[in-house]
Amino acid sequence: MESSGLVKRSNGHLGVTEPISWSGPTEYDVIKTQELEKYLVDSGLYESQEEAVSREEILGRLDQIVKIWVKKVSRAKGFNEQFVQEANAKIFTFGSYRLGVHGPGADIDTLCVGPRHATREEDFFTELHNMLSEMPEVTELHPVPDAHVPVMRFKFSGVSIDLLYAKLSLWVIPEDLDISQDSILQNADEQTVRSLNGCRVTDQILRLVPNIQNFRTTLRCMRFWAKRRGVYSNVAGFLGGINWALLVARICQLYPNALPSMLVSRFFRVYTQWRWPNPVMLCEIQEGSLGLPIWDPRRNFRDRLHQMPIITPAYPCMNSSYNVSSSTLRVMTEEFQRGNRICEAMEASKADWDTLFEPYPFFEAYKHYLEIDITADNESDLRKWKGWVESRLRTLTLKIEKHTFGMLHCHPCPRDFSDKSRPFHCCYFMGLQRKQGVPVQESEQFDIRGTVDDFKHSVSMYTLWKRGMEIQVSHIKRRNVPLFVFPGGVRPSRPPKVAGVDGHAISGRKVSNMVHTGKPAGIVSHMADASTDKKQMEEKGASCDPIIESSSESRKGKQLDNRTDGNAANMNNLVDHILKPSEMGLPSSFANGVLDVPDESRKRKCMDVTTDSFATDSEFQADHSFKQPKTSAAIAALVGPVTEIDNGESIFCSKEAETLAISKITSVPPSNLAALPEGLDELEYFESQGHDKGFGGPVGGHSVESSTVKDAVTQLGSSYGSNTKNGGIEELEKSSELSAPHLGGAPASTANTQRKPLRLRLSTVVKSAGERS
């Protein structure tokens, strides 16, 4: 059976649409790519040769171990000696290691493919587990057989390994097994299909990009950027490694001859304009002949709920980014916009790579945070408890969005923190802010106590709960963020605020960013006056921050946001209207968003692309070193014969034409994307399918909430009272004589429970979407 995901190359391009531009690199692109690669090397993103050799040796050793294991299993099940000698298992790699973008100390994603008689439960998670546990070089062995994709995690000679298992319908696994063929999925169970998916998707990505080396460098860059900006985490509702790989691969298809520096710039330009939930796809979705479920909003209700579909290219095609929520999509969209502004400033020599990769100041970005603390009695219990709570955090974001009717946005921090003074402790944080660009009602309140109770109830369903596993959810303000979250335990000093041209207070960090991105220098005017006014207000004991309920400056800011949103909507309408070349005054030869001027009217400066320029299977295995050309002659050698236009300028789609091409590709939804039915949302589906429950309900009916979970308070903008503990952490008090507030509160866990009204008032302005640094 032929593999269903391969794209025919007879059409001259890879992907579901024509490229936006076939143009090759300019001298500027070569120089910027040199700078980018040097930056990545200096940032320590490449492993040493010694570490690379060590990883290969470990993989070879692991392959030997599974071969010994499968022969041992075959012999124990009574097969004759000839069959035992022919029995085989094989190790495959996938993820960042297979893509060639892993860094020092990164784990290795591996897959063990075994025969039909070697079972997952008894043989893989029992017999192989026991073999590994007896090896001195294996440490931190942790099987997770009940995971959505069952995995065995351990360290082998200090290198972290994630080992999956796929049981095929074959009696003997050949050494030259090709798992890219769809026939490999014949009669496979669901866990096997999911386990094979990682390898099949990784290999398919490498087949669907026009230049593997440029893809690798660009992906390495974007992974580094995403981690620095706090948007790299699948479990937190952002994007993981495979998601970023698919997004970068699509940009490589749209600009097949561009170098990494240009691909990075176009990444931000394209995804800033992308109209989600239109899906990102590297190839057409194939139905297949095995009847496996695929991503199809026409048939599958849950597929219509996905906020940011990024579809895997291997059969069965699935959405790899189903964890993304409206809040995390908003955060990522803002980061794409910021990246686009900086790349445009770089083209004008007003910014550099340092500006793009500046770490996101999470604990300076908001004035209100949720802190989720978890503890256990020992390291093993904490690891299990942490994994379970971490997998539930996404539901807390969804619940807050739903129970506040989308008026309160959550920004989860994608990493965990630990207070070294507390044994077996771990905590997570979420930034909170009111939805921007909407009118603020006087004394508007949010009550998320019921929401937090719902979250605690879902966490309490953990079947492996043990005494000592505790969770606490608290509200803290920015000034009370614990010191252990900062490098060296030292809280960084906040840049002084200066007055902007519209009267807003703008931090020094933002001023620097605005200068880099070409914002008007007038924003720094009246700095002395603003600082003086702030000092006088502080001496009087008044808040320096604008008050939403009464501040005219804040209202002006909201009106500005509304005008900006209106302008964006008008621009979208305008773009929709001007997609026809004739209406833009463009030549009629501008079709499908690509400018095609007849050869006799101009000369090209681009690559003569043929199917030979695409990656071959032999290139697949090689890790080509990229030699940077430094001169125009070297560029010519790289891109082939180069000529110029009569006016001496290279032919690249004009920015206007390119914008139109991007708009056409990103704005037209696929015909199979059905509208989301009213009255239903992702959280309702999540809960209706039982995903908000534990592996089988609480053990012995025990509820963590009943004995170990402390109530949380989220009282944004309120003054601290007698309940203040630990430098600003406030605890919720339940009261039977007070009624629950009317806005945003989720139903209580018991019908007769009444709650003290929580005057959750956002009386201080947090950073708006357009101001995130």
Side-chain angles (χ1 to χ4, degrees):
M1 181 183 300
E2 293 183 0
S3 181
S4 60
L6 291 178
V7 171
K8 296 180 180 179
R9 295 179 178 176
S10 58
N11 58 8
H13 69 86
L14 295 169
V16 294
T17 66
E18 289 280 343
I20 293 175
S21 172
W22 292 98
S23 297
T26 64
E27 189 166 4
Y28 171 83
D29 295 330
V30 175
I31 293 172
K32 297 304 291 184
T33 297
Q34 285 179 316
E35 294 177 0
L36 176 59
E37 288 212 327
K38 183 178 185 302
Y39 190 97
L40 299 180
V41 170
D42 293 344
S43 299
L45 300 186
Y46 294 85
E47 67 179 356
S48 64
Q49 183 63 29
E50 292 77 11
E51 187 174 0
V53 172
S54 175
R55 287 176 184 271
E56 292 178 2
E57 292 175 349
I58 289 172
L59 288 173
R61 177 78 176 110
L62 186 59
D63 191 63
Q64 293 176 355
I65 291 171
V66 297
K67 292 182 187 312
I68 295 173
W69 160 74
V70 76
K71 294 182 187 301
K72 184 176 181 180
V73 167
S74 301
R75 185 175 288 110
K77 294 192 174 184
F79 292 99
N80 60 47
E81 193 60 28
Q82 180 180 353
F83 183 89
V84 169
Q85 294 305 316
E86 293 177 353
N88 189 34
K90 186 172 174 59
I91 291 291
F92 293 86
T93 62
F94 62 100
S96 63
Y97 184 82
R98 179 69 184 93
L99 289 172
V101 295
H102 61 287
D107 60 357
I108 306 178
D109 296 313
T110 57
L111 169 71
C112 174
V113 175
R116 61 189 302 170
H117 60 279
T119 65
R120 177 177 293 101
E121 294 77 12
E122 296 179 1
D123 299 324
F124 181 77
F125 279 109
T126 301
E127 185 61 35
L128 181 58
H129 174 273
N130 293 338
M131 289 178 59
L132 292 172
S133 65
E134 297 172 357
M135 298 179 178
E137 60 265 49
V138 176
T139 58
E140 301 181 23
L141 182 59
H142 178 53
V144 192
D146 295 320
H148 185 65
V149 181
V151 60
M152 192 140 54
R153 296 191 172 101
F154 55 93
K155 286 189 175 181
F156 198 106
S157 299
V159 176
S160 296
I161 303 289
D162 282 0
L163 181 61
L164 312 182
Y165 181 64
K167 185 187 73 169
L168 303 187
S169 58
L170 303 174
W171 286 105
V172 177
I173 303 299
E175 272 299 308
D176 59 351
L177 179 69
D178 181 6
I179 60 175
S180 68
Q181 299 298 316
D182 290 349
S183 58
I184 208 74
L185 304 175
Q186 195 85 37
N187 300 322
D189 56 50
E190 291 184 7
Q191 292 92 339
T192 290
V193 172
R194 288 195 288 264
S195 298
L196 284 166
N197 192 53
C199 290
R200 287 166 54 82
V201 168
T202 302
D203 286 353
Q204 193 72 319
I205 290 174
L206 293 175
R207 292 188 179 97
L208 290 172
V209 293
N211 185 301
I212 291 178
Q213 185 57 39
N214 288 343
F215 164 75
R216 284 174 172 163
T217 302
T218 307
L219 178 56
R220 194 182 292 272
C221 169
M222 295 312 305
R223 285 164 56 95
F224 181 55
W225 172 85
K227 292 174 182 178
R228 299 278 282 187
R229 299 304 297 175
V231 290
Y232 189 100
S233 173
N234 183 278
V235 70
F238 295 107
L239 301 181
I242 191 64
N243 310 127
W244 292 108
L246 291 168
L247 290 182
V248 170
R250 183 66 182 123
I251 300 301
C252 292
Q253 291 180 341
L254 294 174
Y255 299 89
N257 301 314
L259 290 183
S261 63
M262 180 180 171
L263 291 171
V264 170
S265 171
R266 296 312 184 264
F267 179 96
F268 292 117
R269 183 174 297 180
V270 169
Y271 292 121
T272 292
Q273 300 183 47
W274 200 273
R275 304 283 187 86
W276 307 105
N278 291 345
V280 172
M281 302 186 298
L282 300 186
C283 59
E284 297 290 347
I285 297 176
Q286 302 295 325
E287 292 283 347
S289 59
L290 302 179
L292 298 175
I294 60 174
W295 187 82
D296 186 353
R298 298 169 303 179
R299 305 173 186 174
N300 306 325
F301 171 76
R302 64 177 178 180
D303 294 344
R304 308 178 197 176
L305 306 175
H306 296 161
Q307 300 275 343
M308 191 182 187
I310 304 173
I311 311 304
T312 56
Y315 177 76
C317 299
M318 309 174 192
N319 177 25
S320 63
S321 53
Y322 56 86
N323 273 351
V324 174
S325 68
S326 60
S327 285
T328 53
L329 175 58
R330 172 187 57 84
V331 172
M332 287 186 286
T333 299
E334 292 168 8
E335 287 300 328
F336 292 158
Q337 293 169 349
R338 171 190 176 271
N340 187 49
R341 292 194 302 269
I342 292 176
C343 286
E344 290 179 348
M346 289 175 65
E347 294 175 2
S349 300
K350 295 182 179 179
D352 55 20
W353 293 113
D354 278 322
T355 310
L356 182 66
F357 293 111
E358 180 182 346
Y360 179 66
F362 181 81
F363 292 106
E364 299 175 30
Y366 300 95
K367 294 191 175 182
H368 303 280
Y369 298 87
L370 282 184
E371 179 179 347
I372 301 96
D373 290 270
I374 62 173
T375 55
D377 284 345
N378 55 66
E379 188 66 35
S380 176
D381 286 353
L382 179 63
R383 183 172 61 248
K384 297 174 182 178
W385 184 229
K386 174 183 173 183
W388 170 248
V389 174
E390 191 175 65
S391 70
R392 302 292 92 189
L393 289 178
R394 173 175 171 262
T395 67
L396 179 58
T397 300
L398 294 174
K399 289 175 187 292
I400 291 175
E401 290 175 356
K402 177 183 178 182
H403 296 162
T404 63
F405 307 102
M407 299 301 292
L408 191 60
H409 285 165
C410 296
H411 180 174
C413 184
R415 57 160 296 189
D416 60 89
F417 301 85
S418 179
D419 185 355
K420 302 303 181 184
S421 65
R422 300 174 61 183
F424 314 121
H425 165 263
C426 176
C427 66
Y428 302 87
F429 292 88
M430 289 186 181
L432 298 176
Q433 76 170 20
R434 184 193 302 275
K435 182 180 180 181
Q436 300 297 301
V438 296
V440 178
Q441 300 178 4
E442 188 71 22
S443 302
E444 185 177 12
Q445 300 176 5
F446 297 100
D447 182 359
I448 60 173
R449 291 175 301 175
T451 304
V452 171
D453 282 346
D454 284 350
F455 170 69
K456 293 186 297 183
H457 179 69
S458 70
V459 171
S460 73
M461 305 302 287
Y462 185 42
T463 59
L464 300 180
W465 184 89
K466 294 182 180 179
R467 189 169 300 278
M469 293 180 176
E470 299 185 5
I471 182 170
Q472 174 181 333
V473 184
S474 305
H475 161 244
I476 60 173
K477 292 188 176 181
R478 180 168 56 203
R479 63 176 177 268
N480 301 119
V481 170
L483 295 179
F484 62 78
V485 307
F486 301 107
V490 178
R491 187 186 308 274
S493 58
R494 297 193 65 209
K497 291 184 178 180
V498 298
V501 293
D502 57 357
H504 285 107
I506 303 175
S507 70
R509 181 188 299 275
K510 291 181 187 175
V511 171
S512 174
N513 286 342
M514 289 179 176
V515 171
H516 278 303
T517 53
K519 295 290 181 68
I523 59 174
V524 297
S525 62
H526 311 298
M527 180 185 300
D529 294 341
S531 300
T532 302
D533 292 343
K534 179 177 179 180
K535 183 176 181 180
Q536 291 174 350
M537 293 178 69
E538 289 176 343
E539 290 174 352
K540 295 178 181 179
S543 172
C544 302
D545 298 312
I547 305 300
I548 287 181
E549 288 85 346
S550 60
S551 171
S552 59
E553 300 293 356
S554 176
R555 292 191 186 97
K556 291 178 182 177
K558 296 298 181 185
Q559 292 170 0
L560 180 62
D561 288 341
N562 291 336
R563 287 198 302 271
T564 302
D565 293 341
N567 291 339
N570 292 337
M571 179 58 71
N572 290 339
N573 293 335
L574 179 61
V575 169
D576 291 339
H577 173 70
I578 62 179
L579 284 179
K580 295 181 180 179
S582 58
E583 297 179 13
M584 271 297 289
L586 295 173
S588 59
S589 56
F590 181 83
N592 298 324
V594 181
L595 187 62
D596 185 16
V597 182
D599 289 341
E600 56 270 20
S601 65
R602 57 103 173 109
K603 300 177 182 179
R604 295 192 175 195
K605 184 181 181 180
C606 62
M607 233 185 239
D608 182 16
V609 179
T610 66
T611 54
D612 294 336
S613 65
F614 294 113
T616 64
D617 289 342
S618 59
E619 290 174 318
F620 234 75
Q621 308 297 330
D623 189 9
H624 302 293
S625 58
F626 181 72
K627 303 299 183 182
Q628 295 287 0
K630 299 182 179 180
T631 65
S632 298
I635 298 173
L638 176 67
V639 303
V642 176
T643 57
E644 296 183 348
I645 321 179
D646 296 339
N647 62 4
E649 295 180 356
S650 62
I651 282 293
F652 181 79
C653 294
S654 68
K655 190 170 183 179
E656 294 79 7
E658 184 182 9
T659 300
L660 291 176
I662 294 173
S663 297
K664 185 167 185 179
I665 289 175
T666 64
S667 303
V668 180
S671 58
N672 64 346
L673 190 60
L676 177 63
E678 294 183 3
L680 294 167
D681 60 23
E682 184 180 6
L683 180 60
E684 290 177 350
Y685 179 83
F686 188 89
E687 293 173 337
S688 69
Q689 298 298 306
H691 296 304
D692 204 28
K693 305 297 186 290
F695 293 129
V699 177
H702 178 82
S703 171
V704 181
E705 182 180 19
S706 63
S707 63
T708 66
V709 181
K710 298 181 180 179
D711 292 311
V713 64
T714 306
Q715 192 168 351
L716 306 186
S718 61
S719 59
Y720 287 10
S722 58
N723 294 334
T724 302
K725 297 181 181 180
N726 301 327
I729 298 179
E730 304 161 317
E731 295 294 334
L732 241 184
E733 292 183 351
K734 294 183 178 179
S735 176
S736 59
E737 63 271 11
L738 297 174
S739 61
H742 66 280
L743 179 60
S749 56
T750 58
N752 298 325
T753 300
Q754 292 180 313
R755 301 185 180 281
K756 179 179 178 179
L758 181 59
R759 299 183 183 278
L760 195 155
R761 185 178 300 173
L762 287 179
S763 59
T764 51
V765 176
V766 290
K767 293 189 176 183
S768 67
E771 293 179 346
R772 295 179 72 241
S773 56

